[in-house]
């Protein structure tokens, strides 16, 4: 007779599918019926150091399953890795390069990776980590009606294999930890994400990836880009943990990265419009913006940081002025990079830049501060929304967090006035539409939207205090994967003024309806 588990103790697969988690008490491994039927590992039965065999759809091992391991890890005879059949695997690798790679990170040379994959030279942990991200975008019949349980299975297997690599640092282990940290962030497991990010950095340090003297062009560029990705991932991860980011071992802006087309062709020329080379110049600015927000959240006055805010604003202004003409944000340039395969990277650079600006000026939304800089904050939030709506190319989970921050700024305009109300309303609705799409892929988006609901509720009670950088607000701005306490105790303040209305619906009712729709 089957035994029903309580909802709180149901396995991850059953919780995601909203199914009853049923087990047979006589089974030694206590796997639930649904996981057994789908040939995926049951999360409540897996233990560190064990890998439960997972059969392919036809109960036969695919070529990828039997040959993707390298010398760093050779599976035992009774162990089967959860790698899908070759046609499905090829689709998942293509989806990774289409939707993820060269967005939140840049790790490898695509032609070389595909060549190594064809020769069965890609480590299993790296391949599993990669498809744990891309499988959620698949519409293959292999995954049934929901690929996310398979993404969890791929990630679990990758983590177990990476544990065996913990004392054997390699370029691939650094890349694997970065990929798994992205998966964990999208699932909302902030502590595990931070641990994997830390392991990536430790392996990177032990290998000194920034030191590329005497290496081939391919080795140099791959190591440099992986190092840059470690630094970027580390900054976001420390923000998630509410701690100050550490200073980079080597200045990212001095890496001397190739232009994207030159890296793809493996040719060395004078740089003309390298996107990642330009992004590398803003990383330390982002780190210093985080420092300011941490200081302000600890009780320091904005006046004490105003000089530093001005210096960072000047550096960002200079960065934008120095951009080559081909890299400046315009639809013409976006089309150019889309045609050569780097539209996503172009958009990622610009949405990152405008996100840094909306963070830098966010404290000025407090009505007691400089209204001119509040207007600057709103201007950059508008551009964030505009960039995110270009072609649906930005679909990694951090985009959801960036849009939640942008949405809170639009809420300021809608609920408190002081800006272009019609544009704010339009961009807020656009943000909500994108968040709804991202929600299908990344469970953490639910938590992000929940934070926006808590923020909106606070605006209703105490509008003048809603934009004060207290501890809750700091986490709201910086924590992409953390589930925040929804109870932000409002301070006593004067009641909010009348709603800004249009002909059809009040903005307050609009926001309430949209958030309810997103959280349903």
């Amino acid at each position: 007779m089957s035994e029903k588990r309580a909802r709180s103790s149901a396995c991850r697969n059953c919780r995601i599918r909203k199914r009853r988690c049923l087990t047979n008490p006589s089974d030694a491994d206590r796997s639930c019926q649904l996981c057994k039927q789908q040939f995926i590992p049951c999360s409540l039965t897996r233990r560190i150091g064990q890998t439960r065999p997972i059969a392919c759809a036809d109960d036969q091992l695919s070529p990828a399953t039997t040959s993707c391991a390298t010398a760093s890890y050779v599976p035992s005879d009774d162990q089967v890795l959860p790698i899908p059949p070759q046609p499905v695997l090829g689709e998942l690798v293509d989806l990774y390069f289409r939707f993820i790679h060269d967005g939140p990170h840049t790790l490898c040379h695509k032609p070389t990776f595909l060549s190594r994959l064809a020769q069965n030279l890609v480590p299993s942990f790296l391949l599993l980590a990669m498809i744990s991200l891309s499988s959620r975008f698949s519409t293959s019949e292999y995954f049934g009606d929901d690929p996310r349980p398979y993404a969890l299975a791929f990630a679990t297997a990758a983590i177990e294999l990476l544990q065996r690599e913990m004392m054997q640092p390699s370029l691939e282990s650094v890349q694997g930890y970065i990929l798994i940290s992205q998966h964990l962030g999208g699932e909302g497991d902030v502590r595990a994400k931070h641990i994997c990010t830390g392991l990536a950095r430790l392996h990177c340090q032990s290998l000194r990836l920034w030191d590329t003297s005497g290496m081939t062009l391919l080795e140099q560029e791959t190591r440099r880009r992986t190092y840059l990705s470690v630094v970027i991932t580390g900054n976001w991860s420390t923000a998630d943990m509410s701690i100050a980011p550490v200073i980079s071992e080597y200045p990212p802006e001095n890496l001397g990265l190739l232009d994207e087309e030159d890296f793809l062709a493996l040719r060395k020329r004078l740089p003309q419009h390298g996107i990642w080379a330009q992004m590398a110049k803003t990383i330390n600015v982002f780190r210093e913006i985080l420092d300011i927000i941490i200081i302000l959240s600890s009780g320091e006055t904005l006046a004490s940081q105003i000089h530093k805010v001005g210096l960072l604003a000047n550096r960002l202004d200079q960065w934008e002025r120095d951009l080559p003409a081909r890299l400046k944000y315009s639809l013409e340039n976006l089309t150019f990079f889309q045609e050569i395969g780097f539209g996503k990277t172009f958009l990622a650079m610009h949405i990152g830049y405008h996100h840094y600006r909306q963070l830098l000026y966010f404290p000025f939304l407090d009505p007691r501060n400089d209204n001119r800089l509040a207007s600057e904050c709103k201007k950059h939030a508008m551009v964030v929304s505009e960039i995110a709506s270009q072609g649906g190319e930005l679909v990694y989970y951090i985009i959801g967090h960036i849009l939640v921050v942008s949405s809170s700024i639009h809420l300021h305009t809608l609920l408190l006035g002081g800006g272009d109300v019609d544009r704010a309303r339009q961009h807020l609705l656009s943000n909500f539409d994108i968040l709804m799409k991202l929600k299908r892929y990344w469970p953490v988006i639910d938590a992000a939207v929940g934070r926006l609901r808590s923020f909106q509720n606070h605006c209703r009670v105490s509008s003048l205090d809603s934009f004060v950088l207290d501890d809750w607000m700091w986490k709201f701005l910086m924590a992409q994967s953390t589930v925040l306490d929804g109870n932000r105790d409002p301070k006593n303040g004067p009641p909010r003024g009348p709603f800004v209305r249009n002909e059809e619906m009040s903005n307050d009712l609009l926001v309430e309806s949209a958030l309810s729709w997103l959280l349903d």
Side-chain angles (χ1 to χ4, degrees), residues 97-108:
F97 282 104
R98 178 182 173 188
F99 289 122
I100 302 295
H101 192 257
D102 274 333
H105 55 250
T106 177
L107 296 175
C108 56

Side-chain angles (χ1 to χ4, degrees), residues 117-281:
L117 181 63
Q119 299 174 66
N120 303 315
L121 295 176
V122 176
S124 298
F125 62 77
L126 183 58
L127 188 60
L128 286 162
M130 180 179 290
I131 65 177
S132 75
L133 291 171
S134 61
S135 55
R136 62 196 73 226
F137 302 107
S138 176
T139 57
S140 170
E141 294 181 357
Y142 177 80
F143 298 114
D145 60 353
D146 187 359
R148 287 180 297 177
Y150 292 84
L152 292 173
F154 299 150
T156 302
I159 290 170
E160 291 184 357
L161 297 182
L162 276 167
Q163 287 173 340
R164 307 179 186 208
E165 306 294 319
M166 191 177 300
M167 306 304 292
Q168 305 176 61
S170 64
L171 177 64
E172 290 83 2
S173 69
V174 178
Q175 295 168 339
Y177 280 124
I178 290 175
L179 292 171
I180 283 298
S181 74
Q182 293 286 315
H183 165 85
L184 292 167
E187 296 293 320
D189 193 342
V190 61
R191 289 182 176 83
K193 181 190 85 166
H194 189 62
I195 289 170
C196 285
T197 302
L199 287 168
R201 185 160 204 148
L202 289 173
H203 281 214
C204 173
Q205 290 171 338
S206 68
L207 296 169
R208 297 181 64 83
L209 288 184
W210 58 89
D211 185 355
T212 60
S213 56
M215 298 182 181
T216 67
L217 185 63
L218 174 63
E219 291 170 335
Q220 288 179 345
E221 192 70 10
T222 304
R223 286 169 63 98
R224 289 168 180 168
R225 286 173 177 257
T226 300
Y227 167 70
L228 177 63
S229 299
V230 169
V231 176
I232 293 172
T233 306
N235 279 352
W236 284 101
S237 185
T238 53
D240 232 348
M241 296 295 292
S242 300
I243 56 179
V246 298
I247 298 175
S248 307
E249 294 82 1
Y250 183 85
E253 62 271 22
N254 293 345
L255 287 171
L257 298 176
L258 298 175
D259 287 1
E260 277 59 49
E261 309 98 296
D262 292 338
F263 179 41
L264 199 60
L266 287 181
R267 64 190 178 207
K268 191 163 187 177
R269 301 187 305 179
L270 290 175
Q272 300 178 47
H273 45 251
I275 302 175
W276 282 103
Q278 295 297 333
M279 279 196 271
K281 298 176 182 179

Side-chain angles (χ1 to χ4, degrees), residues 448-485:
V449 175
R451 292 199 294 270
L452 190 58
R453 163 63 66 81
S454 297
F455 178 77
Q456 179 218 10
N457 289 339
H458 192 274
C459 285
R460 288 173 161 178
V461 177
S462 182
S463 60
L464 291 182
D465 290 324
S466 295
F467 291 85
V468 174
L469 274 180
D470 56 17
D471 186 62
W472 191 94
M473 199 66 211
W474 139 247
K475 292 176 182 176
F476 173 88
L477 290 176
M478 300 314 306
Q480 324 98 53
S481 309
T482 304
V483 178
L484 298 184
D485 179 4

Side-chain angles (χ1 to χ4, degrees), residues 200-385:
R201 185 160 204 148
L202 289 173
H203 281 214
C204 173
Q205 290 171 338
S206 68
L207 296 169
R208 297 181 64 83
L209 288 184
W210 58 89
D211 185 355
T212 60
S213 56
M215 298 182 181
T216 67
L217 185 63
L218 174 63
E219 291 170 335
Q220 288 179 345
E221 192 70 10
T222 304
R223 286 169 63 98
R224 289 168 180 168
R225 286 173 177 257
T226 300
Y227 167 70
L228 177 63
S229 299
V230 169
V231 176
I232 293 172
T233 306
N235 279 352
W236 284 101
S237 185
T238 53
D240 232 348
M241 296 295 292
S242 300
I243 56 179
V246 298
I247 298 175
S248 307
E249 294 82 1
Y250 183 85
E253 62 271 22
N254 293 345
L255 287 171
L257 298 176
L258 298 175
D259 287 1
E260 277 59 49
E261 309 98 296
D262 292 338
F263 179 41
L264 199 60
L266 287 181
R267 64 190 178 207
K268 191 163 187 177
R269 301 187 305 179
L270 290 175
Q272 300 178 47
H273 45 251
I275 302 175
W276 282 103
Q278 295 297 333
M279 279 196 271
K281 298 176 182 179
T282 65
I283 290 175
N284 283 331
V285 176
F286 179 43
R287 177 179 58 80
E288 293 179 51
I289 291 173
L290 299 184
D291 286 339
I292 289 176
I293 296 177
I294 291 173
I295 291 170
L296 292 177
S297 69
S298 68
E300 289 291 328
T301 64
L302 187 57
S304 69
Q305 299 299 307
I306 195 68
H307 178 66
K308 190 180 293 185
V309 168
L311 291 177
L312 292 178
N314 289 339
R315 285 167 62 183
L316 287 171
D317 288 339
Q318 189 64 48
W319 178 86
E320 187 175 34
R321 283 194 297 269
D322 290 345
L323 278 179
R326 178 55 77 185
L327 285 180
K328 294 186 182 296
Y329 183 68
S330 69
L331 293 181
E332 178 186 349
N333 284 342
L334 172 59
T335 300
F336 171 83
F337 283 106
Q338 286 174 329
E339 289 176 349
I340 63 174
F342 295 103
K344 174 176 75 266
T345 315
F346 178 79
L347 291 174
M349 176 180 71
H350 283 287
I351 203 170
Y353 164 74
H354 289 284
H355 177 57
Y356 301 161
R357 300 299 294 247
Q358 69 178 5
L359 287 179
L360 182 63
Y361 296 130
F362 194 94
F364 296 93
L365 294 177
D366 183 336
R368 292 166 291 192
N369 294 323
D370 189 334
N371 287 332
R372 180 184 61 83
L373 294 180
S375 297
E376 284 292 304
C377 181
K378 294 182 179 187
K379 179 183 75 175
H380 291 286
M382 294 282 190
V383 183
V384 163
S385 299

